[in-house]
Amino acid sequence: MKLALGRRMAGISAIGALALTLAACGDSASGDGDGTTDSTDSSEGSELSGTIAGSGASSQENAVQGWLAGFMEANPGANVTYDPTGSGTGREQFINGTVQFAGSDAALDGEELTAAQERCGGDVIELPLYISPIAVVYNIPDLNDTNINLGPDTIAGIFNGDITNWNDPAIVEANPDIELPDLEIVPVNRSDDSGTTENFTEYLAAAAPEVWTHEPSGLWPVEGTQSGAQTSGVLGVVEGAEGTIGYVDASRVGELGSVAVGVGDEFVPFSPEAAANVVDVSPAAEDATDTILTIDLARDTQESGAYPIVLVSYSLACGTYDSEEHASLVQGYLTYVASEEGQNRAAQPDVAGSAPISEGMRERVTAALDTISAG
């Protein structure tokens, strides 16, 4: 679902976090001469050299560390960095040319896409290379090893400030086997312009429209709440006090408890498989193209075993770059990210626990990456 949002433009951050010295593959990093891509075969052809920088979604941070490490192991030589500044800042830095690629938990809206096309001098590439559940996390030490069941209306009521105690009748009814404490609920949200927030509010608006009457947005719409900047900020607030509840990329749950979300007549905990299920039943966005592979997620699905609070984080790139160096390095790095090896690395539980893209999606991503060139 593409949304025309009024985004708050964040300031420019220094690019440098997560910097690793990397190399790229093959002679063009886009194929082996027969029209196919083999990102793991880096032993043939000349090495790529130079530097590219990326920034954006902090949700991807663990996955990006894995991708950079894997790319480095196979291809020592090039220098690639990624700064987890948040989706809003990443989109802004990509549009203004500060970075060569970006990560975003929300697709570019209409104005952003137009601006990005102007920056790129033509086609923009949007690729769904990181698929992960958004976990609704809570801090109740005696119950952090339990999945508390919450239906969509209850989740919306909590984050809207209508349900304020953990022993509220709506929560008790859904959890007959759990002794819930008489404890104040403290909702925690992102304070920055966040793709995770946009995905979460899209779910609330679609699955609980009578309770959550706010428009989906990357900026939290409820005033007077507890909040934290970026994923780490939300985690810090949730971990710092009992009774808190927040929403974060599932790779960052750690020792916190997590909610099993009501879907139809069942409650579904997050998992890569459950996230993949909802992506599989979701159509392409209305304005998707051969290089803009955006998805209209079925947030209100009743599909058994599907987890509907899913984050699809896009990698943004230009179809044309001013230099061969930037074109080849962006193409080579994202080809590794999209490869079976790269996706499986991020899916490892000790990396990010994400859901790998399907083979059919990989073929479409590869075709889009093959269009990258130097102007």
Side-chain angles (χ1 to χ4, degrees), residues 242-260:
E242 294 186 19
T244 48
I245 185 169
Y247 55 94
V248 298
D249 184 80
S251 67
R252 308 291 293 279
V253 170
E255 300 301 315
L256 294 170
S258 61
V259 166

Side-chain angles (χ1 to χ4, degrees), residues 30-53:
S30 61
D32 57 12
D34 62 359
T36 61
T37 299
D38 182 1
S39 64
T40 62
D41 183 9
S42 57
S43 60
E44 299 180 3
S46 59
E47 286 191 1
L48 301 176
S49 61
T51 298
I52 55 171

Side-chain angles (χ1 to χ4, degrees), residues 131 274-283 295 297-298 306-307 310-312 361:
I131 300 171
N277 283 349
V278 77
V279 172
D280 287 345
V281 300
S282 299
I295 299 167
L297 286 166
Y307 185 86
V310 171
L311 176 152
V312 175
M361 178 61 74

Side-chain angles (χ1 to χ4, degrees), residues 218-361:
L219 297 172
W220 190 251
V222 181
E223 296 183 354
T225 59
Q226 296 291 316
S227 62
Q230 302 177 3
T231 303
S232 58
V234 171
L235 284 171
V237 178
V238 174
E239 291 168 346
E242 294 186 19
T244 48
I245 185 169
Y247 55 94
V248 298
D249 184 80
S251 67
R252 308 291 293 279
V253 170
E255 300 301 315
L256 294 170
S258 61
V259 166
V261 174
V263 179
D265 295 327
E266 62 185 8
F267 291 93
V268 183
F270 77 80
S271 70
E273 295 76 18
N277 283 349
V278 77
V279 172
D280 287 345
V281 300
S282 299
E286 184 177 352
D287 52 358
T289 69
D290 288 342
T291 59
I292 297 177
L293 306 184
T294 47
I295 299 167
D296 188 0
L297 286 166
R299 303 288 189 184
D300 56 352
T301 182
Q302 302 294 297
E303 185 79 15
S304 178
Y307 185 86
I309 317 179
V310 171
L311 176 152
V312 175
S313 197
Y314 295 93
S315 293
L316 310 179
C318 289
T320 305
Y321 288 89
D322 291 339
S323 72
E324 181 65 37
E325 174 187 308
H326 289 169
S328 296
L329 285 171
V330 170
Q331 186 181 59
Y333 172 64
L334 293 182
T335 295
Y336 173 77
V337 170
S339 71
E340 185 174 2
E341 177 185 339
Q343 289 289 299
N344 287 342
R345 179 181 283 266
Q348 294 173 14
D350 59 346
V351 180
S354 56
I357 60 175
S358 66
E359 187 57 40
M361 178 61 74

